[in-house]
Amino acid sequence: MPSYQEPWKKPFLSTPRFSDAKSTRTLESLCKQAPDLSKPGVITPERIVSMTSRGAGLSLLYGFQRVDQPILTALQALADEREVVGQMQALFSGKPVNFIEGFDSEQRAAIHPATRDIFEQEVVHDPAVRQLVEAEIQKLRSFFSENTFDTLLFIGIGGSELGPHAILEALKPYYLPSKKVHYLANVDPDEMSVALRGIDLTRTLVAVVSKSGTTLETATNEARARHAFEQIGLPSKAHFIAVTCPQTPMDDLTRYAAVFHLFDFIGGRFSTTSVVGGVLISFLCGSNTFIEFLSGANEMDRLALRMDIRENLPLLLALLAVWNRNFLKLPTTAIVPYSSALHRFTAHLQQCEMESNGKCVDRFGHLVPFSTGPIIWGEPGTNAQHSFFQLLHQGSDIVPVEFIGFKESQFKEDFLFKGTSSQDKLIANLFAQALALAIGHINENPNKNFAGNRPSTIILGKRLDAKTLGSLLALYEHKVAFQGFLWGINSFDQEGVQLGKLLAEQILKVIRARRSGQEDTTANPVGGRLLDILDDVTALRGL
Ligand code: G6Q
């Protein structure tokens, strides 16, 4: 029996493909008459209010997008036709949604909602998974309640660093007194030299984070960090903890004071709410803050299972992104938080979106005849207004923007200057930019004319605390998955990253052989031509 007859695979494989869906045809025709936001009377206060969805502590304002009621109805129809909520349900129930039908692929679950499903209303319904997750949280609680270190050196890369780093930058007001952190991701030796300068190793805990337990950059940085401890006579084991999957080379209590487990069913870039983020948050802010963070994410998880796109914020955000990408044909999206605390958040989302949806084959391994994941980029505002916003307002390409802002500041230490607080200025700028992009500004001088009709979405929260941050993170995690479900691609593997890891091993083999004066002619799994060229290149560099 072909595997696609497994009932849970039906929404993935038996629904009309994105390019064949009836609602795709409707949307193609509707986009010819998409509302022109610059026309007088289109952007009104009533529109902004009626085009706002709320949930899990966030409001999503989509009145500045080029949509109207018929378009929203067709987007809902697209979500229904592609059965994307059914696909999300399969993800929540732990089915191996990471697959390509008929080809060798990872065949893994991507059940990150389980990492925060520890509250009253369960969303995952798998007692075994719940037990695993709760046991790790308990381990974190007891380990960090006895922690006496004041500095954390966090070693990890990609999915094992970007999300947790972004989150901890955003939680600074909640740090326990005297706790400090340094991050080491790159294998650039200078990054390590900078990190090691000025830290007191006797008071430092090192968290080595790697899902696979084999990533070269992380292993290299760990080895050098251990060397630094041992050089001054400190037993490294007492200072090192590991975060990894069971049974990897790092799952080894003879080398670490503690090992925390994430699991095969949690993807690297979706692991921020697992012990990967848990170690950092527990060290810097305490376990209660970690639980609050999880509760926000869990609240958003519940919304991600709603059928109505006005209630399902992640699905709405995903559909608006697909509308911009596939119908208005816009190739990039800027994510601009009006909050310095979120200064690493766009970098994390860049990975989450581009690693997940930077794919060009569908679930059957066929090349897709449409565009998939856009390029994601951005920096915090208002700083960004003084750099790339010129292009957003008057450039030859239209770039949809996702603005993120908060009504209140984190520290609530504000100052009135010229009659307004800094937070007033921040949020007023956010709205002013969204409005100016939409309605433009007519001037007879073409150089000072702003055509407008440039779309954006505003995501608004009350205050950036741990709970809101969890909810914001989950909003984007599910946005990414929903886009993949709509396009019918597999958002959960990363063959492009694996190729990089393989190439690095190969080139290092060549360098190692050269250093020791022997040529290494062993088999090359990435194909002879690539290695031959790499070989020539390293020779040219005189390595
Ligand atoms: C994320 C990717 C990738 C991964 C890093 C680090 O989803 O798979 O960015 O997180 O390559 O991998 P390890 O955690 O295994 O060291």
Side-chain angles (χ1 to χ4, degrees), residues 474-525:
L475 170 73
Y476 272 98
E477 288 180 349
H478 296 317
K479 173 204 176 191
V480 169
F482 273 129
Q483 286 177 101
F485 295 158
L486 287 161
W487 289 318
I489 59 175
N490 178 14
S491 303
F492 306 105
D493 64 0
Q494 56 284 316
E495 291 299 334
V497 177
Q498 311 301 13
L499 176 66
K501 290 185 180 182
L502 216 61
L503 289 174
E505 284 298 346
Q506 288 298 316
I507 195 164
L508 290 170
K509 241 180 178 180
V510 176
I511 296 170
R512 202 177 298 125
R514 286 236 172 85
R515 277 195 195 275
S516 62
Q518 298 155 9
E519 285 301 312
D520 186 331
T521 51
T522 51
N524 163 27

Side-chain angles (χ1 to χ4, degrees), residues 179-198:
K179 298 289 183 197
K180 293 184 283 292
V181 61
H182 296 268
Y183 301 91
L184 262 177
N186 203 344
V187 73
D188 180 343
D190 294 335
E191 193 173 316
M192 170 72 90
S193 301
V194 170
L196 288 179
R197 270 176 176 66

Side-chain angles (χ1 to χ4, degrees), residues 157-160 209-213 215 218 267-269 351 355 494 497 501:
I157 195 164
S160 290
V209 184
S210 173
K211 180 181 170 186
S212 62
T215 301
T218 303
R269 55 193 171 276
Q351 184 210 20
E355 199 167 284
Q494 56 284 316
V497 177
K501 290 185 180 182

Side-chain angles (χ1 to χ4, degrees), residues 394-405:
Q394 289 185 309
S396 56
D397 283 297
I398 293 184
V399 180
V401 185
E402 290 173 7
F403 292 101
I404 304 172

Side-chain angles (χ1 to χ4, degrees), residues 91-310:
L91 179 149
F92 272 66
S93 55
K95 299 287 188 278
V97 295
N98 179 350
F99 74 93
I100 299 285
E101 190 69 5
F103 289 90
D104 179 32
S105 59
E106 293 190 341
Q107 306 288 338
R108 285 185 194 164
I111 188 173
H112 38 281
T115 59
R116 52 249 190 177
D117 193 27
I118 53 164
F119 303 93
E120 271 166 27
Q121 293 165 270
E122 286 181 48
V123 283
V124 169
H125 311 299
D126 185 333
V129 165
R130 194 181 171 107
Q131 234 174 25
L132 285 175
V133 169
E134 284 183 344
E136 292 306 314
I137 293 178
Q138 202 38 52
K139 237 157 80 180
L140 277 179
R141 274 190 182 279
S142 53
F143 183 84
F144 286 103
S145 66
E146 286 165 21
N147 162 56
T148 52
F149 297 106
D150 60 23
T151 301
L152 184 73
L153 184 59
F154 186 93
I155 302 181
I157 195 164
S160 290
E161 191 263 351
L162 282 159
H165 191 164
I167 292 309
L168 269 297
E169 287 299 290
L171 289 177
K172 282 194 176 148
Y174 308 96
Y175 282 17
L176 299 166
S178 81
K179 298 289 183 197
K180 293 184 283 292
V181 61
H182 296 268
Y183 301 91
L184 262 177
N186 203 344
V187 73
D188 180 343
D190 294 335
E191 193 173 316
M192 170 72 90
S193 301
V194 170
L196 288 179
R197 270 176 176 66
I199 62 173
D200 177 358
L201 293 184
T202 62
R203 308 195 52 75
T204 298
L205 179 70
V206 183
V208 188
V209 184
S210 173
K211 180 181 170 186
S212 62
T214 57
T215 301
L216 191 61
E217 288 93 329
T218 303
T220 306
N221 283 335
E222 175 182 359
R224 186 168 158 201
R226 275 194 197 268
H227 181 68
F229 277 82
E230 278 148 19
Q231 260 188 330
I232 56 167
L234 290 172
S236 68
K237 184 187 160 186
H239 290 257
F240 278 60
I241 58 171
V243 178
T244 191
C245 275
Q247 282 153 23
T248 72
M250 279 172 53
D251 186 14
D252 180 358
L253 279 169
T254 64
R255 295 196 295 133
Y256 300 99
V259 177
F260 299 96
H261 288 140
L262 74 158
F263 302 96
D264 194 47
F265 52 76
I266 299 160
R269 55 193 171 276
F270 298 104
S271 66
T272 308
T273 51
S274 75
V275 284
V276 170
V279 160
L280 257 182
I281 304 182
S282 305
F283 180 89
L284 289 161
C285 310
S287 317
N288 291 343
T289 305
F290 181 46
I291 302 297
E292 265 178 58
F293 173 64
L294 297 183
S295 75
N298 180 257
E299 227 175 90
M300 186 58 76
D301 291 343
R302 282 183 233 148
L303 297 186
L305 296 171
R306 303 253 177 107
M307 294 301 290
D308 185 336
I309 63 169
R310 287 163 309 176

